[in-house]
Amino acid sequence: MLMAAYLEGSARNILGQGGMAASDARRAIIAELKKDDRDVIISAEELTQSFNKAAIERMVSDLREAFGQISAVAYIREPASDLVSRTQQIMRTTSSRSFEKVVRPREFQSKLSPWLKCLGAENVDLVPFEKDRLHEGDVVLDYCFKMGITPSQIYKTKHNVSPSGEAIILANHFHQLAEKKRRWIINECKYSAFARQLANGVLGFGQSQFSLAPELIESSLHGSAPDIDWLLGKLDHPFSPYVPPNNGLELQSSEHVAQLVSDIEEDFFAWWSSGVPMHRRARIFLSEYNRLAKTKKRWM
């Protein structure tokens, strides 16, 4: 609703052709905010990625009418750690075909400066996403501590399960193949839902942590030096140095990723065939893919 109301031109895409107009969505949000005097918490990671300066200004303008104080907390990873985390997230959830294009640093200044300007830098707390900087080493507890929220008020969820490096490159590989066959295998199913099923289907396979080759990290961050310097200038304390995982699967290039997929495919299907639960559509796709792969090997 927030994106539909404030990000110009997106209401129809988000809410559908028969959905609410942006102006109506905005009025509905304002009316909801004015119903009582409770505090409101907005989880804004998606807004930080999507909102431009104009959208932020529109939303903050409405918030100022309803609230006496607006403050923000932004948890920020060290740039190298963020690059690795962002790359694995894109790879396991999309069909991006070029590994080199996926490995790109986040633009810190363009994403954060509009919030700093609209809310005032004194109202934005930039916190390094590092265990020793967080309250009891937990980001949710840290946020509760900063906002004066009792942790028991927060709905308890399971901890995020970090997939292995092997699982991530396989998920990306299967996304690419499924994208090519989406009409045949998915029919009317939304591809995004199917993509999640595939990503979840490989969870539990593999032992290595996802990582990038040191030289790839260095070359990727080199072009973002001014942006990183801007970020460092906004922090009260510098980041701790990035420490790569001991058992990291250090990806180097598209060719390297393709070779790794070829090397572990057989082990994956042996693991998957042993009874790993998965949504029917994803299971049908992987069964068909495995059948074709075996046929191909017999003819080679």
Short mmCIF file of all heavy atoms in Angstrom, two decimals, residues 27-75:
data_model
loop_
_atom_site.label_atom_id
_atom_site.label_comp_id
_atom_site.label_asym_id
_atom_site.label_seq_id
_atom_site.Cartn_x
_atom_site.Cartn_y
_atom_site.Cartn_z
N ARG A 27 -5.10 8.36 0.68
CA ARG A 27 -6.13 8.82 1.62
C ARG A 27 -6.43 7.74 2.66
O ARG A 27 -6.65 8.05 3.84
CB ARG A 27 -7.40 9.21 0.85
CG ARG A 27 -7.35 10.60 0.26
CD ARG A 27 -8.73 11.05 -0.19
NE ARG A 27 -9.15 10.31 -1.38
CZ ARG A 27 -8.90 10.70 -2.62
NH1 ARG A 27 -8.23 11.83 -2.83
NH2 ARG A 27 -9.33 10.00 -3.65
N ALA A 28 -6.45 6.49 2.24
CA ALA A 28 -6.73 5.40 3.17
C ALA A 28 -5.64 5.28 4.23
O ALA A 28 -5.91 5.04 5.41
CB ALA A 28 -6.85 4.09 2.40
N ILE A 29 -4.39 5.47 3.82
CA ILE A 29 -3.27 5.41 4.77
C ILE A 29 -3.34 6.56 5.76
O ILE A 29 -3.17 6.37 6.97
CB ILE A 29 -1.93 5.43 3.99
CG1 ILE A 29 -1.73 4.09 3.26
CG2 ILE A 29 -0.76 5.68 4.95
CD1 ILE A 29 -0.59 4.08 2.29
N ILE A 30 -3.60 7.77 5.26
CA ILE A 30 -3.70 8.94 6.14
C ILE A 30 -4.81 8.75 7.16
O ILE A 30 -4.66 9.03 8.36
CB ILE A 30 -3.94 10.23 5.32
CG1 ILE A 30 -2.70 10.54 4.46
CG2 ILE A 30 -4.25 11.40 6.24
CD1 ILE A 30 -2.92 11.65 3.46
N ALA A 31 -5.97 8.25 6.71
CA ALA A 31 -7.10 8.02 7.62
C ALA A 31 -6.74 7.00 8.69
O ALA A 31 -7.11 7.15 9.86
CB ALA A 31 -8.31 7.54 6.82
N GLU A 32 -6.01 5.96 8.30
CA GLU A 32 -5.61 4.93 9.26
C GLU A 32 -4.65 5.49 10.30
O GLU A 32 -4.74 5.17 11.49
CB GLU A 32 -4.95 3.77 8.50
CG GLU A 32 -4.81 2.48 9.29
CD GLU A 32 -6.12 1.81 9.60
OE1 GLU A 32 -7.09 2.00 8.83
OE2 GLU A 32 -6.20 1.12 10.64
N LEU A 33 -3.71 6.35 9.86
CA LEU A 33 -2.73 6.93 10.76
C LEU A 33 -3.39 7.85 11.80
O LEU A 33 -2.90 7.99 12.92
CB LEU A 33 -1.69 7.73 9.97
CG LEU A 33 -0.75 6.94 9.07
CD1 LEU A 33 0.14 7.88 8.27
CD2 LEU A 33 0.11 5.98 9.87
N LYS A 34 -4.50 8.47 11.41
CA LYS A 34 -5.15 9.45 12.29
C LYS A 34 -6.20 8.83 13.22
O LYS A 34 -6.83 9.54 14.01
CB LYS A 34 -5.79 10.55 11.45
CG LYS A 34 -4.77 11.44 10.75
CD LYS A 34 -5.45 12.55 9.96
CE LYS A 34 -4.41 13.49 9.35
NZ LYS A 34 -5.04 14.57 8.56
N LYS A 35 -6.39 7.52 13.13
CA LYS A 35 -7.42 6.87 13.94
C LYS A 35 -7.16 6.97 15.43
O LYS A 35 -8.07 7.11 16.24
CB LYS A 35 -7.55 5.40 13.55
CG LYS A 35 -8.46 5.16 12.36
CD LYS A 35 -8.64 3.67 12.13
CE LYS A 35 -9.58 3.40 10.97
NZ LYS A 35 -9.75 1.95 10.73
N ASP A 36 -5.88 6.85 15.85
CA ASP A 36 -5.54 6.91 17.26
C ASP A 36 -4.12 7.43 17.41
O ASP A 36 -3.49 7.82 16.43
CB ASP A 36 -5.71 5.55 17.94
CG ASP A 36 -4.92 4.45 17.22
OD1 ASP A 36 -3.72 4.67 16.96
OD2 ASP A 36 -5.50 3.39 16.93
N ASP A 37 -3.62 7.45 18.64
CA ASP A 37 -2.32 8.06 18.89
C ASP A 37 -1.21 7.04 19.12
O ASP A 37 -0.18 7.35 19.71
CB ASP A 37 -2.39 9.02 20.07
CG ASP A 37 -2.80 8.31 21.37
OD1 ASP A 37 -3.12 7.10 21.30
OD2 ASP A 37 -2.78 8.96 22.43
N ARG A 38 -1.41 5.78 18.66
CA ARG A 38 -0.35 4.78 18.82
C ARG A 38 0.85 5.09 17.92
O ARG A 38 0.71 5.72 16.88
CB ARG A 38 -0.89 3.39 18.49
CG ARG A 38 -1.81 2.80 19.54
CD ARG A 38 -2.31 1.43 19.12
NE ARG A 38 -3.12 1.50 17.91
CZ ARG A 38 -3.55 0.43 17.25
NH1 ARG A 38 -3.23 -0.78 17.67
NH2 ARG A 38 -4.30 0.57 16.17
N ASP A 39 2.00 4.61 18.36
CA ASP A 39 3.18 4.69 17.50
C ASP A 39 3.01 3.71 16.34
O ASP A 39 2.30 2.71 16.45
CB ASP A 39 4.45 4.32 18.27
CG ASP A 39 4.78 5.34 19.35
OD1 ASP A 39 4.26 6.46 19.28
OD2 ASP A 39 5.54 5.01 20.26
N VAL A 40 3.70 3.98 15.24
CA VAL A 40 3.65 3.11 14.07
C VAL A 40 5.07 2.72 13.68
O VAL A 40 5.97 3.57 13.65
CB VAL A 40 2.94 3.81 12.88
CG1 VAL A 40 3.12 3.00 11.60
CG2 VAL A 40 1.46 3.98 13.17
N ILE A 41 5.27 1.44 13.40
CA ILE A 41 6.56 0.95 12.93
C ILE A 41 6.42 0.56 11.47
O ILE A 41 5.51 -0.20 11.11
CB ILE A 41 7.02 -0.27 13.75
CG1 ILE A 41 7.21 0.11 15.21
CG2 ILE A 41 8.33 -0.84 13.17
CD1 ILE A 41 7.47 -1.09 16.11
N ILE A 42 7.30 1.07 10.63
CA ILE A 42 7.30 0.72 9.21
C ILE A 42 8.58 -0.04 8.90
O ILE A 42 9.68 0.47 9.11
CB ILE A 42 7.22 1.98 8.32
CG1 ILE A 42 5.93 2.75 8.60
CG2 ILE A 42 7.30 1.60 6.84
CD1 ILE A 42 5.86 4.09 7.88
N SER A 43 8.44 -1.25 8.42
CA SER A 43 9.60 -2.01 7.96
C SER A 43 9.90 -1.54 6.54
O SER A 43 9.14 -1.82 5.61
CB SER A 43 9.29 -3.51 7.97
OG SER A 43 10.40 -4.23 7.48
N ALA A 44 10.99 -0.80 6.38
CA ALA A 44 11.16 -0.01 5.15
C ALA A 44 12.27 -0.48 4.23
O ALA A 44 12.70 0.27 3.35
CB ALA A 44 11.39 1.45 5.53
N GLU A 45 12.75 -1.71 4.38
CA GLU A 45 13.84 -2.15 3.50
C GLU A 45 13.44 -2.05 2.03
O GLU A 45 14.19 -1.55 1.20
CB GLU A 45 14.25 -3.58 3.84
CG GLU A 45 15.41 -4.07 2.97
CD GLU A 45 15.84 -5.48 3.32
OE1 GLU A 45 15.19 -6.12 4.17
OE2 GLU A 45 16.83 -5.94 2.75
N GLU A 46 12.24 -2.52 1.72
CA GLU A 46 11.77 -2.47 0.33
C GLU A 46 11.60 -1.03 -0.14
O GLU A 46 11.88 -0.70 -1.30
CB GLU A 46 10.46 -3.24 0.19
CG GLU A 46 9.97 -3.37 -1.24
CD GLU A 46 10.93 -4.16 -2.11
OE1 GLU A 46 11.59 -5.08 -1.60
OE2 GLU A 46 11.03 -3.84 -3.31
N LEU A 47 11.16 -0.15 0.77
CA LEU A 47 11.01 1.26 0.41
C LEU A 47 12.36 1.90 0.13
O LEU A 47 12.49 2.74 -0.76
CB LEU A 47 10.29 2.02 1.52
CG LEU A 47 8.92 1.51 1.96
CD1 LEU A 47 8.28 2.48 2.93
CD2 LEU A 47 8.01 1.29 0.76
N THR A 48 13.36 1.51 0.91
CA THR A 48 14.71 2.06 0.70
C THR A 48 15.23 1.69 -0.67
O THR A 48 15.93 2.47 -1.32
CB THR A 48 15.67 1.55 1.80
OG1 THR A 48 15.11 1.83 3.07
CG2 THR A 48 17.01 2.25 1.70
N GLN A 49 14.88 0.49 -1.14
CA GLN A 49 15.34 0.05 -2.46
C GLN A 49 14.54 0.71 -3.58
O GLN A 49 15.09 0.98 -4.65
CB GLN A 49 15.21 -1.48 -2.58
CG GLN A 49 16.03 -2.26 -1.58
CD GLN A 49 17.51 -1.92 -1.65
OE1 GLN A 49 18.09 -1.85 -2.72
NE2 GLN A 49 18.11 -1.70 -0.50
N SER A 50 13.25 0.98 -3.34
CA SER A 50 12.36 1.39 -4.42
C SER A 50 12.04 2.88 -4.46
O SER A 50 11.83 3.45 -5.53
CB SER A 50 11.04 0.61 -4.32
OG SER A 50 11.26 -0.77 -4.28
N PHE A 51 11.95 3.53 -3.30
CA PHE A 51 11.49 4.92 -3.26
C PHE A 51 12.54 5.89 -3.79
O PHE A 51 13.72 5.80 -3.42
CB PHE A 51 11.14 5.31 -1.82
CG PHE A 51 9.70 5.06 -1.46
CD1 PHE A 51 8.97 4.08 -2.11
CD2 PHE A 51 9.07 5.79 -0.47
CE1 PHE A 51 7.65 3.83 -1.78
CE2 PHE A 51 7.76 5.55 -0.12
CZ PHE A 51 7.04 4.57 -0.79
N ASN A 52 12.10 6.83 -4.61
CA ASN A 52 12.96 7.95 -5.01
C ASN A 52 12.70 9.10 -4.05
O ASN A 52 11.86 9.01 -3.15
CB ASN A 52 12.70 8.34 -6.46
CG ASN A 52 11.21 8.61 -6.73
OD1 ASN A 52 10.47 9.02 -5.82
ND2 ASN A 52 10.77 8.36 -7.96
N LYS A 53 13.40 10.21 -4.26
CA LYS A 53 13.30 11.35 -3.34
C LYS A 53 11.87 11.88 -3.26
O LYS A 53 11.36 12.19 -2.19
CB LYS A 53 14.25 12.46 -3.78
CG LYS A 53 14.36 13.63 -2.82
CD LYS A 53 15.48 14.57 -3.25
CE LYS A 53 15.64 15.72 -2.27
NZ LYS A 53 14.50 16.68 -2.37
N ALA A 54 11.20 11.95 -4.41
CA ALA A 54 9.83 12.49 -4.43
C ALA A 54 8.88 11.61 -3.62
O ALA A 54 8.02 12.11 -2.89
CB ALA A 54 9.34 12.61 -5.87
N ALA A 55 9.02 10.28 -3.74
CA ALA A 55 8.16 9.36 -3.00
C ALA A 55 8.40 9.49 -1.50
O ALA A 55 7.45 9.47 -0.70
CB ALA A 55 8.40 7.93 -3.46
N ILE A 56 9.67 9.61 -1.12
CA ILE A 56 10.01 9.76 0.30
C ILE A 56 9.41 11.05 0.84
O ILE A 56 8.82 11.08 1.94
CB ILE A 56 11.54 9.75 0.50
CG1 ILE A 56 12.11 8.38 0.11
CG2 ILE A 56 11.90 10.07 1.95
CD1 ILE A 56 13.62 8.34 0.04
N GLU A 57 9.53 12.13 0.08
CA GLU A 57 9.00 13.43 0.52
C GLU A 57 7.49 13.38 0.69
O GLU A 57 6.95 13.94 1.65
CB GLU A 57 9.39 14.52 -0.48
CG GLU A 57 10.87 14.87 -0.43
CD GLU A 57 11.27 15.86 -1.51
OE1 GLU A 57 10.49 16.01 -2.49
OE2 GLU A 57 12.35 16.46 -1.40
N ARG A 58 6.78 12.70 -0.22
CA ARG A 58 5.32 12.59 -0.11
C ARG A 58 4.93 11.83 1.15
O ARG A 58 4.01 12.23 1.88
CB ARG A 58 4.75 11.91 -1.36
CG ARG A 58 4.64 12.80 -2.58
CD ARG A 58 3.81 12.13 -3.68
NE ARG A 58 4.54 11.06 -4.33
CZ ARG A 58 5.31 11.22 -5.41
NH1 ARG A 58 5.45 12.43 -5.93
NH2 ARG A 58 5.93 10.22 -5.96
N MET A 59 5.61 10.71 1.40
CA MET A 59 5.27 9.90 2.56
C MET A 59 5.61 10.63 3.87
O MET A 59 4.79 10.66 4.80
CB MET A 59 6.00 8.56 2.52
CG MET A 59 5.57 7.63 3.65
SD MET A 59 6.39 6.01 3.63
CE MET A 59 8.02 6.46 4.21
N VAL A 60 6.79 11.22 3.94
CA VAL A 60 7.20 11.92 5.16
C VAL A 60 6.28 13.10 5.44
O VAL A 60 5.96 13.39 6.61
CB VAL A 60 8.68 12.37 5.05
CG1 VAL A 60 9.05 13.30 6.20
CG2 VAL A 60 9.60 11.16 5.04
N SER A 61 5.81 13.76 4.40
CA SER A 61 4.88 14.88 4.57
C SER A 61 3.60 14.42 5.27
O SER A 61 3.11 15.08 6.20
CB SER A 61 4.54 15.49 3.21
OG SER A 61 3.53 16.47 3.33
N ASP A 62 3.07 13.28 4.86
CA ASP A 62 1.87 12.74 5.50
C ASP A 62 2.16 12.27 6.92
O ASP A 62 1.33 12.43 7.83
CB ASP A 62 1.30 11.58 4.67
CG ASP A 62 0.66 12.05 3.38
OD1 ASP A 62 0.42 13.27 3.24
OD2 ASP A 62 0.40 11.20 2.50
N LEU A 63 3.33 11.68 7.13
CA LEU A 63 3.68 11.21 8.47
C LEU A 63 3.82 12.37 9.44
O LEU A 63 3.45 12.26 10.62
CB LEU A 63 4.99 10.41 8.42
CG LEU A 63 4.95 9.06 7.69
CD1 LEU A 63 6.34 8.44 7.62
CD2 LEU A 63 3.98 8.10 8.37
N ARG A 64 4.34 13.48 8.97
CA ARG A 64 4.54 14.64 9.85
C ARG A 64 3.20 15.18 10.36
O ARG A 64 3.12 15.74 11.46
CB ARG A 64 5.29 15.75 9.11
CG ARG A 64 6.75 15.41 8.87
CD ARG A 64 7.59 16.66 8.62
NE ARG A 64 8.90 16.35 8.08
CZ ARG A 64 9.91 15.86 8.77
NH1 ARG A 64 9.73 15.60 10.05
NH2 ARG A 64 11.06 15.61 8.20
N GLU A 65 2.15 15.04 9.57
CA GLU A 65 0.83 15.51 10.00
C GLU A 65 0.25 14.63 11.10
O GLU A 65 -0.59 15.08 11.88
CB GLU A 65 -0.13 15.53 8.81
CG GLU A 65 0.19 16.60 7.79
CD GLU A 65 -0.88 16.69 6.70
OE1 GLU A 65 -2.01 16.21 6.96
OE2 GLU A 65 -0.59 17.23 5.62
N ALA A 66 0.70 13.38 11.15
CA ALA A 66 0.12 12.44 12.11
C ALA A 66 0.98 12.22 13.35
O ALA A 66 0.48 11.77 14.38
CB ALA A 66 -0.13 11.10 11.42
N PHE A 67 2.28 12.52 13.25
CA PHE A 67 3.20 12.20 14.35
C PHE A 67 4.06 13.39 14.73
O PHE A 67 4.49 14.17 13.87
CB PHE A 67 4.10 11.02 13.96
CG PHE A 67 3.34 9.76 13.66
CD1 PHE A 67 3.09 9.40 12.34
CD2 PHE A 67 2.87 8.95 14.68
CE1 PHE A 67 2.38 8.25 12.06
CE2 PHE A 67 2.17 7.80 14.40
CZ PHE A 67 1.90 7.45 13.09
N GLY A 68 4.33 13.49 16.03
CA GLY A 68 5.19 14.57 16.50
C GLY A 68 6.66 14.28 16.25
O GLY A 68 7.48 15.20 16.17
N GLN A 69 7.03 13.02 16.16
CA GLN A 69 8.43 12.65 15.96
C GLN A 69 8.53 11.46 15.00
O GLN A 69 7.75 10.52 15.09
CB GLN A 69 9.09 12.28 17.29
CG GLN A 69 10.56 11.90 17.16
CD GLN A 69 11.16 11.46 18.49
OE1 GLN A 69 10.50 11.52 19.52
NE2 GLN A 69 12.40 11.02 18.46
N ILE A 70 9.48 11.55 14.08
CA ILE A 70 9.76 10.45 13.17
C ILE A 70 11.25 10.15 13.26
O ILE A 70 12.08 11.04 13.08
CB ILE A 70 9.42 10.81 11.71
CG1 ILE A 70 7.97 11.32 11.59
CG2 ILE A 70 9.62 9.61 10.78
CD1 ILE A 70 7.65 11.91 10.24
N SER A 71 11.58 8.90 13.53
CA SER A 71 12.99 8.52 13.58
C SER A 71 13.17 7.23 12.78
O SER A 71 12.22 6.46 12.60
CB SER A 71 13.46 8.32 15.02
OG SER A 71 12.68 7.35 15.67
N ALA A 72 14.38 7.03 12.29
CA ALA A 72 14.67 5.85 11.47
C ALA A 72 15.95 5.19 11.94
O ALA A 72 16.87 5.85 12.44
CB ALA A 72 14.80 6.25 10.00
N VAL A 73 15.98 3.88 11.80
CA VAL A 73 17.19 3.11 12.09
C VAL A 73 17.54 2.33 10.82
O VAL A 73 16.69 1.63 10.27
CB VAL A 73 16.99 2.12 13.25
CG1 VAL A 73 18.29 1.37 13.53
CG2 VAL A 73 16.51 2.84 14.50
N ALA A 74 18.77 2.49 10.35
CA ALA A 74 19.22 1.78 9.16
C ALA A 74 20.38 0.88 9.53
O ALA A 74 21.43 1.36 9.99
CB ALA A 74 19.64 2.77 8.07
N TYR A 75 20.20 -0.42 9.34
CA TYR A 75 21.27 -1.39 9.62
C TYR A 75 22.04 -1.63 8.32
O TYR A 75 21.45 -2.02 7.30
CB TYR A 75 20.68 -2.69 10.17
CG TYR A 75 20.08 -2.51 11.54
CD1 TYR A 75 18.72 -2.27 11.69
CD2 TYR A 75 20.88 -2.55 12.68
CE1 TYR A 75 18.17 -2.07 12.95
CE2 TYR A 75 20.33 -2.36 13.93
CZ TYR A 75 18.97 -2.12 14.07
OH TYR A 75 18.43 -1.92 15.32
#
